[in-house]
């Protein structure tokens, strides 16, 4: 059962676990003592305020929690993820991630490189690079050596079932394969916050199961990994600790 966005409920549930080899990980960045995500009075509008894309009273996501966000197209789900990733700035309100006020970040690029992994709806892969290089590029500036980056990229591609396609560019991959590369890239920097926008939308059933098993394994290895996932798939949403249902701006005075 889903719940309204402005009234987060208790954490519950969990998914199946699959034992696999542990990935080489980045250095531990220390335990946070505040919620992973804290949003208050958040809004985003366009066209000089004529179009409201997001109007959110409050949202709190606990450290290590896995939250699925569902709702109709155009209700602001992707806008919320973009704000959490510091890819855009809110029109009003506050958004804090691990206690950092994202409006006052000295370097949004560094924040995304060290704290956040993003699975974009349209993948955003670099066509001139191979699948492995697309994953490796997310680790630049993380402190891993070249060989370590290659090892981690290869393991992540194996985890999403693409190790044999590691040397192919995105133009030689199917839509589902490109999405799996994007998932591997999002996990490459050992993020504390994983933001996923329809990560399983172009995947077949076997690939969805593999992705969810990988996610569960990473959560066991990294108890502080916090996941916020947007999805239209009710079965995928149900594996989360909490499902939040957003409403369209027209349907609610405090919509998402």
């Amino acid at each position: 059962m889903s719940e309204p966005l402005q009234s987060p409920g208790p954490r519950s549930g969990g998914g199946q676990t699959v034992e696999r080899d542990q990935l080489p990980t980045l250095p531990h960045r220390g335990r946070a003592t505040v919620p992973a995500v804290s949003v208050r009075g958040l809004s985003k509008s366009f066209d000089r305020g004529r179009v409201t894309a997001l109007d959110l009273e409050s949202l709190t996501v606990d450290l290590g929690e896995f939250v699925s966000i569902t709702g109709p197209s155009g209700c602001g789900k992707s806008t919320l993820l973009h704000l959490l990733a510091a890819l855009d700035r809110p029109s009003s309100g506050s958004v804090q991630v691990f206690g950092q006020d994202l409006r006052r970040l000295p370097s949004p690029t560094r924040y995304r490189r060290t704290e956040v992994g993003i699975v974009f709806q349209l993948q955003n892969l670099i066509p001139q690079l191979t699948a492995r290089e697309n994953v490796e590029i997310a680790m630049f500036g993380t402190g891993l050596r070249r060989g370590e980056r290659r090892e981690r990229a290869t393991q992540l591609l194996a985890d999403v079932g693409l190790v044999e396609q590691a040397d192919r560019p995105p133009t030689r991959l199917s839509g589902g394969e490109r999405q799996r590369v994007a998932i591997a890239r999002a996990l490459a920097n050992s993020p504390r916050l994983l933001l996923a926008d329809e990560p399983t939308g172009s995947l077949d059933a076997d690939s969805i199961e593999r992705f969810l098993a990988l996610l569960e394994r990473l959560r066991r290895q990294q108890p502080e990994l916090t996941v916020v996932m947007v999805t239209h798939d009710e079965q995928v949403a149900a594996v989360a600790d909490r499902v939040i249902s957003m409403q369209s701006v027209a349907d609610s005075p405090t919509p998402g």
Side-chain angles (χ1 to χ4, degrees), residues 44-54 91 249:
K44 179 64 181 178
S45 59
F46 300 94
D47 194 17
R48 298 184 179 181
R50 295 185 182 91
V51 179
T52 301
L54 181 69
S91 300
V249 174

Side-chain angles (χ1 to χ4, degrees), residues 166-183:
D167 295 320
R168 295 182 183 178
T171 53
R172 294 182 55 200
L173 300 174
S174 68
E177 288 171 337
R178 290 195 295 271
Q179 185 69 352
R180 283 186 275 164
V181 174
I183 290 168

Side-chain angles (χ1 to χ4, degrees), residues 25-228:
T25 57
L26 298 175
H28 184 62
R29 288 181 286 266
R31 174 174 292 275
T33 58
V34 295
V37 173
S38 179
V39 166
R40 296 291 181 271
L42 188 65
S43 71
K44 179 64 181 178
S45 59
F46 300 94
D47 194 17
R48 298 184 179 181
R50 295 185 182 91
V51 179
T52 301
L54 181 69
D55 186 9
L56 177 57
E57 181 181 336
S58 67
L59 172 66
T60 299
V61 180
D62 292 333
L63 188 70
E65 189 175 17
F66 177 10
V67 171
S68 289
I69 298 179
T70 65
S73 297
C75 70
K77 302 186 298 297
S78 295
T79 299
L80 175 60
L81 293 192
H82 286 185
L83 294 174
L84 292 177
L87 290 168
D88 203 350
R89 295 178 61 86
S91 300
S92 64
S94 68
V95 52
Q96 294 189 353
V97 175
F98 304 120
Q100 300 179 87
D101 186 339
L102 299 193
R103 297 170 302 178
R104 296 180 173 85
L105 285 175
S107 173
T109 299
R110 184 178 185 278
Y111 161 74
R112 287 189 292 272
R113 185 175 66 239
T114 60
E115 301 285 2
V116 182
I118 311 169
V119 183
F120 293 99
Q121 197 167 7
L122 298 178
Q123 298 129 25
N124 290 356
L125 301 178
I126 301 174
Q128 294 86 358
L129 302 181
T130 66
R132 179 167 29 230
E133 289 167 341
N134 267 281
V135 177
E136 286 186 58
I137 200 170
M139 291 178 267
F140 288 176
T142 61
L144 291 180
R145 297 177 181 176
R146 181 178 180 180
E148 293 172 321
R149 294 196 301 266
R150 184 179 179 86
E151 177 187 0
R152 182 170 174 81
T154 300
Q155 181 62 63
L156 284 166
L157 288 172
D159 281 330
V160 297
L162 285 179
V163 69
E164 294 183 358
Q165 289 82 12
D167 295 320
R168 295 182 183 178
T171 53
R172 294 182 55 200
L173 300 174
S174 68
E177 288 171 337
R178 290 195 295 271
Q179 185 69 352
R180 283 186 275 164
V181 174
I183 290 168
R185 180 187 59 188
L187 296 169
N189 64 340
S190 293
R192 288 203 293 167
L193 175 62
L194 177 63
L195 304 173
D197 194 354
E198 297 288 355
T200 63
S202 59
L203 302 184
D204 59 28
D206 287 344
S207 296
I208 290 174
E209 184 176 352
R210 185 188 290 269
F211 165 65
L212 294 176
L214 171 61
L215 190 59
E216 178 62 22
R217 178 171 64 87
L218 289 171
R219 293 185 70 210
R220 286 187 289 110
Q221 292 177 4
Q222 302 168 231
E224 295 182 359
L225 175 63
T226 304
V227 182
V228 179

